């Protein structure tokens, strides 16, 4: 090949037998400089190629099998066709598909990325039928399932504790509906990262008719102005938002965003029913049974597959245990013959040994994974599937000869308290402590006090609440409660942890066992309601201060009776005339407005009074 012809040769796809642009090649060759014409006489092969390529394929000689010659096939190929590999010419063109080496390399990279993911991420179910827990959402006939089946998914908020399945459920819902799924986290993205998704979703809906589901994790991290960006796109239906949050949506999300989310009715706690039933899906903390099922399914998937021996006579498996293909199914089906290990010693499943004692291995592949270890993981996870699988990963990676007690002790040491000073957990616990004191349940009050202090709560936060409780709940029934609570607060300031835990225990028990009276608290509430009803009522003249002679002339303090001057009680009208005679404070013996519930009283006598009747039965009358 002449040096001057290299570029032309490359432009024509390096075809040694000519190409569709052979005539252009010939013309280019004729325009060579004179000093290169001697090369022409030494390039007979190239001349032959040019002569051959100038003949139309129709007039070229065909092969015996009726097909055109190999040269003709190559010479008539278009530039687009020349990129494809011709039969029998494997070294002539570069293949447009990756080689086996490239495919293997890509597969290896993908495998490395998958193996680096945590166990909880690798074992996420890929089908809605394999989802464990949240039966009130995933069971047949539930509001969520009806929305999926009817094609009216809409936007929604998933509110629940960590590890309850919010992300997994969102992925499965999008897959079930055949929607385009986009997943982002509000902790790492901003509005500028989300705007392109809005446009993509709008175009996809217009061109393909497919809806886009945007899953936004930790949606409560967005500010109110950032949340407002979603409003027009949700109103127009261009995108379906599934927001996940561990915080109370009523405090963290705007009312405008919540009003555009799916309206559903759920079984939830009494305290939040009025709000939640029209706004969000509530995911509950997973039960112990759910956690056990998730763990056992995970061990089944991670266990090496075994081949069952067959009966040579009947040509049927000698064991009723099913053999699962763990490489093709994300989670093997759970049937009666392949049931997950239960407490029954007769249950059977792959790689399972019969459980006769608490220390017996549940799976032969993991002899150190015993029933006690399973119970410990379930207890330590506290309904968090992600935490349970992380603990399971530690167990399976531990040496198989690790003693059971040592393994359980290591699991306990690896678990940190699930307590966030800025989250709902803190306020839930302080509420439980306060209500335990109000209900005179010293045992429960001590437990919640210990829970909060063990989790690292500031002792002054608890002491301040006890000061409030001393006046709100004990009040006039024990006038020593407030000074003692203030003393405990000062002790916490001076001493600090860990010794001040004793002072807090002292005040918590004292307040729990004290008599209760909220007369002052309720009296203020009644007075506050009357004051807010009309903030312009004037102060009666008799109650005003006559500081000057002019004020006295105007009638200030006229007719006022100075109480210490009298040996008996006297009456002064201190209230405005319009509310004169109203009573805000009740007498101690006044039980008007109080509830008498015989069923509730008997329950207290049975649970808290050892079955004995309440002493106040003979002194109280039914209302």
């Amino acid at each position: 090949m002449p040096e001057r012809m290299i570029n032309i040769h490359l432009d024509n796809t390096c075809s040694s037998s000519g190409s569709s642009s052979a005539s252009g090649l010939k013309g280019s060759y004729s325009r060579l400089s004179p000093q290169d014409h001697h090369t022409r006489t030494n390039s007979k092969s190239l001349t032959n190629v040019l002569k051959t390529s100038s003949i139309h394929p129709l007039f070229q000689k065909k092969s015996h099998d009726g097909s055109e010659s190999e040269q003709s096939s190559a010479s008539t190929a278009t530039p687009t066709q020349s990129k494809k590999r011709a039969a029998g010419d494997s070294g002539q063109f570069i293949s447009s598909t990756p080689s086996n080496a490239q495919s293997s390399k890509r597969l290896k990279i993908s495998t490395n990325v998958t193996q680096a993911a945590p166990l909880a991420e690798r074992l996420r179910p890929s089908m809605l039928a394999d989802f464990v827990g949240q039966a009130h959402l995933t069971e047949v006939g539930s509001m969520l399932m009806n929305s999926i089946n009817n094609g009216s998914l809409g936007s929604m908020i998933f509110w629940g504790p960590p590890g309850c399945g919010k992300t997994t459920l969102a992925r499965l819902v999008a897959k079930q509906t055949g929607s385009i799924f986009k997943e982002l986290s509000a902790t790492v993205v901003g509005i500028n990262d989300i705007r392109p998704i809005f446009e993509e979703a709008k175009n996809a809906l217009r061109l393909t008719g497919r809806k886009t589901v945007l899953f936004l994790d930790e949606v409560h991290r967005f500010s109110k102005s950032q949340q407002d960006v979603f409003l027009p796109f949700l109103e127009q239906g261009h995108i379906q938002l599934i927001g996940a949050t561990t915080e109370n949506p009523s405090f963290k999300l705007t009312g405008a965003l919540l009003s555009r989310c799916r309206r559903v009715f759920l079984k939830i706690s009494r305290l939040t029913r009025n709000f939640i039933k029209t706004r969000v899906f509530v995911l509950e903390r997973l039960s112990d049974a759910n956690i056990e099922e998730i763990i056992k399914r995970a061990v089944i998937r991670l266990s090496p597959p075994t081949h069952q021996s067959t009966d040579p006579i009947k040509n049927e498996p000698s064991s009723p245990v099913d053999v699962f293909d763990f490489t093709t199914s994300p989670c093997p089906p759970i049937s009666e013959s392949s049931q997950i290990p239960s407490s029954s010693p007769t249950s059977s499943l792959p790689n399972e040994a019969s459980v006769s004692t608490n220390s017996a291995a549940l799976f032969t592949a993991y002899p150190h994974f015993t029933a006690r270890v399973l119970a410990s993981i379930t207890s330590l996870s506290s309904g968090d599937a992600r935490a349970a699988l992380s603990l399971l990963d530690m167990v399976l990676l531990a040496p198989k000869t690790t003693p059971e007690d040592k393994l359980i002790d290591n699991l306990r040491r690896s678990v940190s308290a699930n307590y966030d000073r800025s989250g709902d957990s803190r306020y839930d616990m302080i509420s439980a402590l306060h209500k335990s004191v109000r209900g005179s349940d010293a045992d429960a009050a001590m437990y919640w006090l210990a829970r909060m202090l063990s989790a690292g709560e500031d002792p002054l936060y608890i002491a301040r609440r006890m000061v409030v409780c001393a006046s709100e709940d004990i009040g006039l029934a024990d006038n020593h409660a407030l000074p003692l609570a203030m003393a405990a607060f000062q002790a916490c300031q001076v001493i600090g942890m860990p010794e001040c835990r004793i002072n807090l225990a002292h005040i918590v028990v004292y307040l729990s066992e004290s008599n209760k009276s909220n007369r002052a608290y309720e009296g203020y509430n009644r007075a506050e309601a009357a004051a807010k009803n009309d903030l312009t009522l004037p102060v009666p003249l008799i109650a005003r201060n006559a500081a000057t002679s002019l004020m006295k002339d105007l009638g200030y303090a006229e007719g006022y009776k100075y109480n210490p001057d009298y040996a008996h009680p006297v009456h002064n009208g201190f209230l405005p005339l319009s509310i004169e005679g109203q009573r805000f404070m009740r007498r101690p013996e006044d039980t008007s407005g109080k509830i008498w519930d015989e069923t509730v009283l008997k329950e207290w006598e049975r649970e808290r009074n050892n079955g004995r009747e309440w002493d106040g039965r003979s002194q109280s009358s039914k209302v």
Side-chain angles (χ1 to χ4, degrees):
M1 176 63 64
E3 182 179 357
R4 294 285 183 177
M5 294 297 298
I6 291 177
N7 290 336
I8 300 175
H9 185 64
L10 293 175
D11 292 341
N12 289 274
T13 68
C14 302
S15 175
S16 61
S17 59
S19 66
S20 61
S21 58
S23 59
L25 176 61
K26 184 176 181 180
S28 300
Y29 180 77
S30 65
R31 291 192 294 271
L32 294 175
S33 59
Q35 59 269 27
D36 292 331
H37 279 185
H38 67 278
T39 310
R40 182 177 181 180
T41 58
N42 296 328
S43 305
K44 294 181 180 181
S45 59
L46 179 60
T47 304
N48 293 333
V49 169
L50 294 176
K51 289 180 180 180
T52 305
S53 61
S54 63
I55 302 175
H56 194 277
L58 181 63
F59 302 100
Q60 291 185 9
K61 184 179 180 180
K62 296 183 178 181
S63 58
H64 294 290
D65 58 357
S67 62
E68 293 185 358
S69 63
E70 188 177 326
Q71 277 188 340
S72 173
S73 174
S75 63
T76 58
T78 63
T80 303
Q81 293 171 337
S82 64
K83 295 181 181 179
K84 298 179 181 180
R85 186 181 301 276
D89 225 356
S90 59
Q92 192 172 357
F93 304 110
I94 299 176
S95 173
S96 60
T97 59
S99 63
N100 293 335
Q102 291 174 330
S103 300
S104 301
K105 185 176 181 180
R106 293 179 181 178
L107 180 61
K108 182 178 180 180
I109 294 175
S110 177
T111 303
N112 292 338
V113 172
T114 302
Q115 292 178 349
L119 184 62
E121 181 66 27
R122 301 200 308 266
L123 297 182
R124 288 187 188 271
S126 60
M127 295 182 297
L128 195 57
D130 296 329
F131 186 81
V132 178
Q134 314 303 335
H136 63 289
L137 297 180
T138 58
E139 64 185 0
V140 178
S142 65
M143 184 65 67
L144 179 60
M145 292 297 101
N146 290 338
S147 300
I148 294 175
N149 296 333
N150 297 334
S152 57
L153 185 62
S155 297
M156 62 191 70
I157 301 296
F158 287 166
W159 175 29
C164 65
K166 298 184 294 295
T167 302
T168 300
L169 184 59
R171 293 179 182 180
L172 297 178
V173 166
K175 182 178 180 180
Q176 187 79 7
T177 57
S179 303
I180 301 172
F181 185 72
K182 301 289 186 179
E183 181 175 352
L184 297 174
S185 176
T187 59
V188 295
V189 301
I191 292 301
N192 292 334
D193 301 312
I194 297 179
R195 291 185 188 274
I197 296 180
F198 293 154
E199 297 301 324
E200 293 177 10
K202 183 178 179 180
N203 294 333
L205 183 62
R206 182 187 300 112
L207 297 177
T208 66
R210 294 183 65 191
K211 298 179 180 179
T212 299
V213 172
L214 172 60
F215 175 70
L216 188 59
D217 199 10
E218 306 294 340
V219 64
H220 61 273
R221 296 294 187 93
F222 274 178
S223 64
K224 292 184 178 181
S225 60
Q226 289 176 315
Q227 295 177 29
D228 290 343
V229 176
F230 291 89
L231 302 183
F233 300 96
L234 297 181
E235 285 182 348
Q236 299 168 9
H238 294 161
I239 200 167
Q240 294 175 327
L241 173 66
I242 300 181
T245 177
T246 57
E247 303 293 336
N248 193 327
S250 60
F251 302 139
K252 299 296 184 178
L253 302 183
T254 63
L257 180 61
L258 290 174
S259 67
R260 287 161 176 81
C261 294
R262 171 64 58 188
R263 297 177 178 271
V264 296
F265 292 86
L266 298 174
K267 179 182 178 182
I268 56 172
S269 63
R270 180 179 302 174
L271 294 177
T272 56
R273 180 176 292 117
N274 293 336
F275 165 73
I276 298 302
K277 69 180 182 181
T278 61
R279 295 294 192 271
V280 301
F281 286 99
V282 179
L283 279 74
E284 302 169 351
R285 188 177 298 276
L286 297 177
S287 64
D288 290 348
N290 295 148
I291 294 296
E292 288 187 5
E293 184 176 359
I294 291 173
I295 293 174
K296 292 172 182 177
R297 287 190 180 191
V299 177
I300 292 176
R301 290 180 58 180
L302 295 173
S303 299
T306 57
H307 300 282
Q308 301 293 331
S309 59
T310 57
D311 190 335
I313 300 177
K314 298 182 180 180
N315 195 24
E316 294 179 355
S318 58
S319 172
V321 180
D322 296 333
V323 180
F324 302 117
D325 185 359
F326 294 93
T327 62
T328 58
S329 176
C331 184
I334 306 301
S335 61
E336 293 181 357
S337 60
S338 60
Q339 196 62 256
I340 292 172
S342 62
S343 58
S344 173
T346 59
S347 63
S348 60
L349 56 115
N351 303 321
E352 182 190 3
S354 60
V355 183
S356 57
T357 63
N358 289 336
S359 60
L362 297 176
F363 299 87
T364 55
Y366 303 102
H368 57 305
F369 183 68
T370 63
R372 282 187 61 201
V373 174
L374 173 61
S376 298
I377 294 177
T378 303
S379 176
L380 293 172
S381 63
S382 300
D384 187 338
R386 187 182 293 106
L389 291 175
S390 297
L391 294 174
L392 174 65
D393 197 20
M394 295 177 57
V395 172
L396 299 186
L397 293 177
K400 297 182 179 180
T401 57
T402 305
E404 184 182 63
D405 293 337
K406 182 179 180 180
L407 190 60
I408 294 176
D409 184 64
N410 291 336
L411 290 176
R412 290 174 179 171
R413 293 177 182 273
S414 66
V415 175
S416 59
N418 182 18
Y419 188 79
D420 182 7
R421 289 192 182 184
S422 61
D424 288 344
S425 179
R426 181 193 202 192
Y427 302 108
D428 289 342
M429 288 192 186
I430 195 65
S431 175
L433 173 60
H434 193 153
K435 291 176 180 176
S436 299
V437 172
R438 179 185 299 147
S440 300
D441 192 339
D443 298 322
M446 291 292 284
Y447 171 78
W448 292 116
L449 173 65
R451 275 284 300 273
M452 298 183 73
L453 292 178
S454 300
E457 181 55 77
D458 182 7
L460 292 178
Y461 174 73
I462 302 175
R464 283 192 294 268
R465 178 56 71 95
M466 292 299 99
V467 172
V468 174
C469 182
S471 292
E472 177 183 346
D473 299 299
I474 287 79
L476 300 175
D478 188 345
N479 291 324
H480 298 291
L482 181 58
L484 188 62
M486 285 301 302
F489 178 77
Q490 293 175 348
C492 291
Q493 286 181 313
V494 175
I495 299 175
M497 285 292 287
E499 288 82 1
C500 73
R501 74 187 191 281
I502 305 172
N503 305 113
L504 287 175
H506 180 183
I507 186 61
V508 164
V509 174
Y510 182 87
L511 297 180
S512 298
E513 296 182 348
S514 298
N515 295 328
K516 307 298 188 296
S517 173
N518 63 346
R519 290 174 56 228
Y521 177 66
E522 288 187 344
Y524 175 80
N525 290 339
R526 298 187 190 97
E528 183 182 36
K532 290 181 177 180
N533 188 45
D534 188 353
L535 296 175
T536 62
L537 295 179
V539 178
L541 291 176
I542 194 175
R544 298 185 186 185
N545 181 30
T548 65
S549 59
L550 175 61
M551 292 180 177
K552 291 181 180 179
D553 294 340
L554 294 176
Y556 284 27
E558 184 178 355
Y560 171 68
K561 306 175 186 66
Y562 185 63
N563 296 72
D565 290 344
Y566 294 87
H568 53 79
V570 296
H571 171 70
N572 290 296
F574 299 120
L575 286 176
L577 294 179
S578 61
I579 60 173
E580 181 72 28
Q582 288 195 20
R583 295 291 180 265
F584 303 117
M585 285 298 298
R586 302 279 179 83
R587 303 298 300 173
E589 63 277 3
D590 186 2
T591 59
S592 59
K594 304 295 183 180
I595 302 173
W596 183 282
D597 192 325
E598 190 68 24
T599 303
V600 174
L601 177 57
K602 288 182 178 180
E603 180 184 9
W604 177 85
E605 292 173 341
R606 181 178 64 256
E607 299 294 336
R608 303 293 303 171
N609 206 36
N610 297 325
R612 299 189 303 269
E613 287 190 355
W614 175 48
D615 296 337
R617 275 185 177 275
S618 58
Q619 303 173 2
S620 301
S621 59
K622 297 183 179 180
V623 179

